[in-house]
Amino acid sequence: MTEPLRLKIGLSACFSHADPQRHLFTGKTLQYIEQSIAHWIMSAGALVVVVPCPTGETARGDVTLKHYAQWLDGVVLHGGADVWPGHYGEIALRPEWEGDRVRDLYDLAVIEAFEQAGKPIFGVCRGLQIINVAFGGSLYQDIETQVPGAQRHRDAESYDRNVHGIEIVPRTRLARLYPGRTLATVNSIHHQGIKELAPGFTVEAWSTPDHVPEAIRRTARHGKGYIAATQWHPEFRARADVTLDDTPILCDFLDACRRARQRSQPGFSPLHIRDRASRLLRQALLTRF
């Protein structure tokens, strides 16, 4: 009996930019992934394919992000550096919150390519933030200093063992994935978060008690393709006896990928100008700001 074709899921790359002081790969740009998120996707039998940035000073050939979006069944955008405030019309309040502009442009170009191809997109932590920015939302540059009464959303020492409560919004897709569940506990490894929600999206979970968005999803009336994201890391379950089971979230995304494989429905550019993100990325890497 022939085994069904496995889903092919793209995973966005993290960037370690060229550093002449680095002893290994001296002066070279590294594109990498964090192991846990790849293993999380693979736990359901899907194949994981890293989606490298196709442009830069060493680029050769004609492969583009569009080719990956056409070939793959969906994409996951995972965590990493802060988002540059300039992408949502602000200046950095502190130098350490400048973020990574090149990584932002790459992620925006990935979102654009997969949205145009009608393929599902799922975001984790930074992935949620850059999705929100891509579609017109904004961020808190630092939750603890900008949200009155905020709890600690990131602790460098406890890291993925740092947790807080969430409240799942009734009658949302997330609520249907966890029937009868209104409260849960998730890990918290971030200091930025959604300030203004992007048009066309709905909040599916809020942090408690400080009421910061923890899960979002595009509403059906604003687009045909599946786009959802969590602020927490479902792939990190250092406290599996405490934190929310990640399985329903992963299965929901992969089910959408299976449906899209049967009948993809091309969407529109979140930046409103077709291929604008790809052009900005190419320009940024050539000018090397």
Short mmCIF file of all heavy atoms in Angstrom, two decimals, residues 144 152-164 186-190 236-239 243:
data_model
loop_
_atom_site.label_atom_id
_atom_site.label_comp_id
_atom_site.label_asym_id
_atom_site.label_seq_id
_atom_site.Cartn_x
_atom_site.Cartn_y
_atom_site.Cartn_z
N GLU A 144 6.27 45.56 29.53
CA GLU A 144 6.39 45.94 30.94
C GLU A 144 6.43 47.45 31.13
O GLU A 144 5.93 47.96 32.14
CB GLU A 144 7.62 45.30 31.56
CG GLU A 144 7.45 43.81 31.84
CD GLU A 144 8.56 43.27 32.72
OE1 GLU A 144 8.78 43.82 33.82
OE2 GLU A 144 9.20 42.30 32.30
N ARG A 152 5.23 40.11 34.16
CA ARG A 152 6.47 39.83 33.46
C ARG A 152 6.23 38.78 32.38
O ARG A 152 5.91 37.63 32.67
CB ARG A 152 7.55 39.34 34.44
CG ARG A 152 8.84 38.91 33.77
CD ARG A 152 9.99 38.86 34.74
NE ARG A 152 10.41 40.20 35.11
CZ ARG A 152 11.49 40.45 35.88
NH1 ARG A 152 12.20 39.46 36.35
NH2 ARG A 152 11.81 41.70 36.16
N HIS A 153 6.38 39.19 31.14
CA HIS A 153 6.17 38.27 30.02
C HIS A 153 7.46 37.60 29.56
O HIS A 153 7.41 36.69 28.74
CB HIS A 153 5.54 39.02 28.83
CG HIS A 153 4.08 39.31 29.01
ND1 HIS A 153 3.08 38.62 28.33
CD2 HIS A 153 3.44 40.20 29.81
CE1 HIS A 153 1.91 39.09 28.69
NE2 HIS A 153 2.09 40.04 29.59
N ARG A 154 8.60 38.07 30.05
CA ARG A 154 9.86 37.41 29.71
C ARG A 154 10.78 37.44 30.93
O ARG A 154 10.95 38.47 31.56
CB ARG A 154 10.55 38.11 28.54
CG ARG A 154 11.88 37.43 28.14
CD ARG A 154 12.46 38.01 26.88
NE ARG A 154 12.93 39.38 27.07
CZ ARG A 154 13.52 40.09 26.11
NH1 ARG A 154 13.64 39.59 24.88
NH2 ARG A 154 13.93 41.33 26.34
N ASP A 155 11.35 36.27 31.23
CA ASP A 155 12.29 36.16 32.33
C ASP A 155 13.51 35.40 31.80
O ASP A 155 13.40 34.23 31.42
CB ASP A 155 11.66 35.41 33.51
CG ASP A 155 12.56 35.40 34.72
OD1 ASP A 155 13.63 34.76 34.66
OD2 ASP A 155 12.20 36.00 35.75
N ALA A 156 14.65 36.07 31.76
CA ALA A 156 15.84 35.49 31.15
C ALA A 156 16.30 34.24 31.87
O ALA A 156 16.85 33.32 31.23
CB ALA A 156 16.97 36.53 31.13
N GLU A 157 16.08 34.15 33.16
CA GLU A 157 16.56 32.99 33.91
C GLU A 157 15.64 31.79 33.76
O GLU A 157 16.08 30.68 33.48
CB GLU A 157 16.73 33.36 35.39
CG GLU A 157 17.85 34.36 35.63
CD GLU A 157 18.09 34.60 37.10
OE1 GLU A 157 17.47 33.91 37.95
OE2 GLU A 157 18.90 35.49 37.42
N SER A 158 14.34 32.00 33.94
CA SER A 158 13.40 30.86 33.84
C SER A 158 13.06 30.52 32.39
O SER A 158 12.64 29.42 32.08
CB SER A 158 12.12 31.15 34.63
OG SER A 158 11.50 32.33 34.17
N TYR A 159 13.19 31.49 31.51
CA TYR A 159 12.96 31.35 30.06
C TYR A 159 11.67 30.60 29.77
O TYR A 159 10.60 31.08 30.11
CB TYR A 159 14.16 30.69 29.38
CG TYR A 159 14.16 30.87 27.88
CD1 TYR A 159 14.12 32.14 27.33
CD2 TYR A 159 14.17 29.78 27.02
CE1 TYR A 159 14.10 32.33 25.95
CE2 TYR A 159 14.14 29.96 25.64
CZ TYR A 159 14.10 31.23 25.12
OH TYR A 159 14.06 31.41 23.75
N ASP A 160 11.73 29.39 29.16
CA ASP A 160 10.50 28.73 28.75
C ASP A 160 9.73 28.11 29.92
O ASP A 160 8.65 27.54 29.72
CB ASP A 160 10.75 27.68 27.67
CG ASP A 160 11.75 26.61 28.07
OD1 ASP A 160 12.47 26.81 29.07
OD2 ASP A 160 11.80 25.57 27.39
N ARG A 161 10.25 28.25 31.12
CA ARG A 161 9.49 27.81 32.30
C ARG A 161 8.68 28.96 32.90
O ARG A 161 7.93 28.77 33.84
CB ARG A 161 10.43 27.21 33.35
CG ARG A 161 11.18 25.98 32.84
CD ARG A 161 11.98 25.32 33.95
NE ARG A 161 11.10 24.70 34.94
CZ ARG A 161 10.53 23.49 34.80
NH1 ARG A 161 10.77 22.77 33.71
NH2 ARG A 161 9.76 23.01 35.75
N ASN A 162 8.87 30.16 32.34
CA ASN A 162 8.06 31.30 32.77
C ASN A 162 6.66 31.18 32.15
O ASN A 162 6.54 31.00 30.93
CB ASN A 162 8.70 32.61 32.32
CG ASN A 162 7.96 33.82 32.84
OD1 ASN A 162 7.67 33.92 34.02
ND2 ASN A 162 7.66 34.76 31.94
N VAL A 163 5.63 31.23 32.97
CA VAL A 163 4.26 31.01 32.47
C VAL A 163 3.32 32.09 33.00
O VAL A 163 3.63 32.78 33.98
CB VAL A 163 3.72 29.61 32.87
CG1 VAL A 163 4.59 28.51 32.28
CG2 VAL A 163 3.63 29.47 34.38
N HIS A 164 2.19 32.21 32.33
CA HIS A 164 1.09 33.03 32.84
C HIS A 164 -0.21 32.47 32.30
O HIS A 164 -0.23 31.60 31.43
CB HIS A 164 1.27 34.51 32.47
CG HIS A 164 1.24 34.80 31.00
ND1 HIS A 164 0.16 34.53 30.19
CD2 HIS A 164 2.17 35.36 30.18
CE1 HIS A 164 0.40 34.90 28.96
NE2 HIS A 164 1.63 35.41 28.92
N VAL A 186 0.12 29.19 29.64
CA VAL A 186 1.06 29.06 28.52
C VAL A 186 2.41 29.62 28.94
O VAL A 186 2.53 30.40 29.89
CB VAL A 186 0.56 29.82 27.27
CG1 VAL A 186 -0.75 29.21 26.76
CG2 VAL A 186 0.40 31.31 27.55
N ASN A 187 3.45 29.23 28.19
CA ASN A 187 4.76 29.82 28.45
C ASN A 187 4.79 31.25 27.92
O ASN A 187 3.97 31.65 27.09
CB ASN A 187 5.88 28.96 27.82
CG ASN A 187 5.71 28.77 26.32
OD1 ASN A 187 5.53 29.73 25.57
ND2 ASN A 187 5.77 27.54 25.87
N SER A 188 5.73 32.03 28.41
CA SER A 188 5.80 33.44 28.03
C SER A 188 7.27 33.84 27.94
O SER A 188 7.97 33.91 28.94
CB SER A 188 5.08 34.29 29.08
OG SER A 188 4.98 35.63 28.66
N ILE A 189 7.73 34.11 26.69
CA ILE A 189 9.17 34.30 26.44
C ILE A 189 9.38 35.54 25.58
O ILE A 189 10.26 35.59 24.75
CB ILE A 189 9.76 33.05 25.75
CG1 ILE A 189 9.17 31.77 26.34
CG2 ILE A 189 11.27 33.01 25.87
CD1 ILE A 189 9.53 30.52 25.58
N HIS A 190 8.57 36.55 25.76
CA HIS A 190 8.61 37.71 24.87
C HIS A 190 8.49 38.98 25.68
O HIS A 190 8.02 38.98 26.82
CB HIS A 190 7.45 37.64 23.87
CG HIS A 190 6.10 37.65 24.52
ND1 HIS A 190 5.30 38.76 24.55
CD2 HIS A 190 5.43 36.69 25.22
CE1 HIS A 190 4.18 38.48 25.21
NE2 HIS A 190 4.24 37.24 25.63
N PHE A 236 7.49 24.69 22.80
CA PHE A 236 8.23 24.60 24.06
C PHE A 236 7.27 24.14 25.14
O PHE A 236 6.38 24.88 25.53
CB PHE A 236 8.79 25.97 24.46
CG PHE A 236 9.88 26.51 23.57
CD1 PHE A 236 10.22 27.84 23.62
CD2 PHE A 236 10.56 25.69 22.68
CE1 PHE A 236 11.23 28.36 22.81
CE2 PHE A 236 11.56 26.19 21.87
CZ PHE A 236 11.89 27.53 21.94
N ARG A 237 7.47 22.95 25.67
CA ARG A 237 6.60 22.48 26.75
C ARG A 237 7.44 21.99 27.91
O ARG A 237 7.38 20.83 28.32
CB ARG A 237 5.63 21.40 26.25
CG ARG A 237 4.65 21.89 25.19
CD ARG A 237 3.42 21.02 25.12
NE ARG A 237 2.58 21.17 26.30
CZ ARG A 237 1.78 20.22 26.76
NH1 ARG A 237 1.72 19.05 26.15
NH2 ARG A 237 1.04 20.42 27.83
N ALA A 238 8.28 22.90 28.41
CA ALA A 238 9.14 22.56 29.55
C ALA A 238 8.30 22.19 30.77
O ALA A 238 8.76 21.45 31.64
CB ALA A 238 10.07 23.73 29.89
N ARG A 239 7.09 22.72 30.82
CA ARG A 239 6.18 22.40 31.92
C ARG A 239 4.91 21.79 31.34
O ARG A 239 3.81 22.33 31.42
CB ARG A 239 5.87 23.66 32.73
CG ARG A 239 7.12 24.28 33.35
CD ARG A 239 6.83 25.54 34.12
NE ARG A 239 5.98 25.30 35.28
CZ ARG A 239 5.62 26.24 36.15
NH1 ARG A 239 6.05 27.48 35.98
NH2 ARG A 239 4.84 25.96 37.17
N THR A 243 1.27 23.57 31.16
CA THR A 243 0.89 24.40 30.01
C THR A 243 -0.07 23.69 29.06
O THR A 243 -0.18 22.47 29.04
CB THR A 243 2.14 24.85 29.25
OG1 THR A 243 2.93 23.71 28.90
CG2 THR A 243 2.97 25.80 30.09
#
